[in-house]
Amino acid sequence: SDSGSDSGSEDSSLSDSELQEAFSRGALKPGLNVVLEERPKRRNDTNGLRQCLSEFKQQLAWVERLDVTLGRVVDPVAQSATDKDAVDPENDFQREMSFYRQAQAAVLEALPRLRKLQVPTRRPDDYFAEMAKSDQQMQKIRQKLKSKQEAMERSEKAKQLRAMRKYGKKVQTEILQRRQKEKKNMLNAVKKYQKGLSDKLDFLDEEQTPSQGKKNGNASQRMKKGPNAKRRYKNQKFGFGGKKKGSKWNTKESFNDVSSFKSKVAHNKGPGKGGKGGKKALNKRPGKRTRQKMKNRAR
């Protein structure tokens, strides 16, 4: 061990280049450099101890010291401090609760003293304290929280949309099934009626809704009162009932009646059928070339 310590002390005094050369030669091997832990030397700092003692002996006002010394704090549930209620140092919960109760009791004892000495204990409204984190860091945190909240909102909306689609699909399937069932029952009823197994079709009466019944009632009331003015005008203009097809065909009487015959009109000789003085000539539209010339003159 002495040789190892001597070699270790010699190696520690070498420079980096010498250590590299020794390592390349293979002179440094595991176990040669052993670090020996020395016991710390005891010191009797009498001057420092006397200085601390003199500081303890200073008779300063309590407002300068703000020290509050309390014994064991009573558990508010047990209302007593017995040996059974001793805090187990290995129990983290009991230990932290003990610290919390002791700090709370110290605050309750120190606040009345501070108020009595007229020392403000509340932070003013316009108090400004610089945060430990920079504004850039807080902005990043805000953006991250905002993005996380938006992602949660998008996820919630997607869940609602999926639920609505699922519900809509379910309702649509139920409606289609109901329609298929009604159609099947109707076809069965029609087949029975055709085969003579049934005398009536019940689905026709069942399909009549209350609104249809109301319409039928209004129609019956209108039939009792008679047709409205529009219907009466059309009946007067176009006729009501009777033969429709072939009503404008020629008859023997109309063929022999020539009182309304006009030769000028029949042979295209009237004033409205052509000629320079006719109505059609007056209203005749000029040609494209003439219209273009008239437009250029107007410009």
Side-chain angles (χ1 to χ4, degrees):
S1 62
D2 295 339
S3 62
S5 62
D6 294 340
S7 62
S9 60
E10 290 176 359
D11 293 339
S12 60
S13 61
L14 298 175
S15 62
D16 294 341
S17 60
E18 292 175 347
L19 287 173
Q20 290 177 1
E21 290 177 0
F23 181 74
S24 62
R25 290 196 310 267
L28 295 179
K29 294 181 180 180
L32 293 178
N33 300 328
V34 179
V35 180
L36 298 177
E37 296 182 359
E38 296 181 359
R39 293 182 180 179
K41 294 180 179 180
R42 296 181 180 181
R43 296 177 58 190
N44 188 11
D45 190 2
T46 55
N47 295 329
L49 292 173
R50 286 173 183 173
Q51 184 179 356
C52 291
L53 183 60
S54 63
E55 291 177 358
F56 291 156
K57 287 183 177 181
Q58 290 180 0
Q59 298 296 329
L60 298 175
W62 179 81
V63 72
E64 299 291 339
R65 294 180 285 112
L66 294 178
D67 57 337
V68 178
T69 305
L70 296 173
R72 183 183 298 178
V73 181
V74 180
D75 191 354
V77 179
Q79 297 295 332
S80 63
T82 59
D83 294 338
K84 294 181 180 180
D85 298 331
V87 178
D88 183 10
E90 300 297 332
N91 191 335
D92 296 340
F93 180 76
Q94 290 185 4
R95 187 175 66 250
E96 295 297 331
M97 284 302 298
S98 176
F99 293 158
Y100 172 76
R101 288 198 300 269
Q102 189 171 5
Q104 192 176 23
V107 169
L108 293 175
E109 185 176 346
L111 276 177
R113 292 189 189 181
L114 293 172
R115 289 171 183 167
K116 189 176 181 181
L117 296 172
Q118 296 182 357
V119 177
T121 57
R122 286 184 176 272
R123 180 179 294 177
D125 297 335
D126 57 348
Y127 181 79
F128 176 76
E130 188 175 357
M131 296 184 64
K133 295 183 179 180
S134 62
D135 294 341
Q136 295 179 355
Q137 182 69 14
M138 293 303 296
Q139 191 69 19
K140 288 181 181 179
I141 293 172
R142 290 192 193 97
Q143 290 178 357
K144 189 172 182 180
L145 292 175
K146 187 178 179 180
S147 61
K148 190 174 181 180
Q149 185 178 3
E150 290 177 354
M152 291 177 64
E153 290 178 356
R154 287 196 298 269
S155 177
E156 191 67 24
K157 287 182 180 179
K159 287 182 182 178
Q160 292 179 0
L161 286 174
R162 284 196 294 270
M164 291 173 65
R165 288 173 184 167
K166 190 175 181 180
Y167 179 73
K169 192 173 182 180
K170 182 180 178 182
V171 172
Q172 188 178 7
T173 305
E174 290 178 355
I175 291 173
L176 291 175
Q177 290 178 355
R178 188 183 66 200
R179 287 179 180 174
Q180 290 177 359
K181 187 176 180 181
E182 292 176 355
K183 185 177 180 181
K184 186 177 180 181
N185 295 336
M186 183 182 67
L187 293 174
N188 292 335
V190 170
K191 288 180 180 179
K192 289 181 180 179
Y193 182 80
Q194 290 175 348
K195 293 179 180 179
L197 300 176
S198 177
D199 297 336
K200 57 182 179 178
L201 298 175
D202 298 332
F203 65 88
L204 294 177
D205 299 333
E206 292 175 359
E207 286 181 356
Q208 187 176 4
T209 58
S211 60
Q212 292 175 349
K214 189 176 180 181
K215 290 179 182 178
N216 294 336
N218 294 337
S220 62
Q221 291 176 2
R222 287 198 299 269
M223 289 298 291
K224 289 180 181 178
K225 292 180 181 179
N228 55 10
K230 186 176 180 181
R231 184 72 265 169
R232 289 197 299 272
Y233 172 74
K234 287 189 175 183
N235 291 342
Q236 183 181 1
K237 183 177 180 181
F238 302 107
F240 181 75
K243 183 179 179 182
K244 299 294 189 297
K245 189 174 181 181
S247 60
K248 295 185 179 182
W249 287 357
N250 233 350
T251 59
K252 186 177 181 180
E253 290 79 8
S254 65
F255 178 76
N256 295 327
D257 184 12
V258 293
S259 59
S260 60
F261 177 74
K262 296 178 181 180
S263 61
K264 291 183 179 181
V265 176
H267 298 290
N268 198 11
K269 293 181 180 180
K273 298 296 182 179
K276 294 183 179 179
K279 188 176 180 182
K280 189 173 182 181
L282 293 174
N283 294 333
K284 185 178 180 182
R285 184 185 182 196
K288 184 175 181 181
R289 190 181 298 276
T290 308
R291 282 186 277 118
Q292 190 68 29
K293 290 180 180 179
M294 292 169 64
K295 191 182 293 184
N296 294 336
R297 277 196 231 107
R299 290 178 182 176

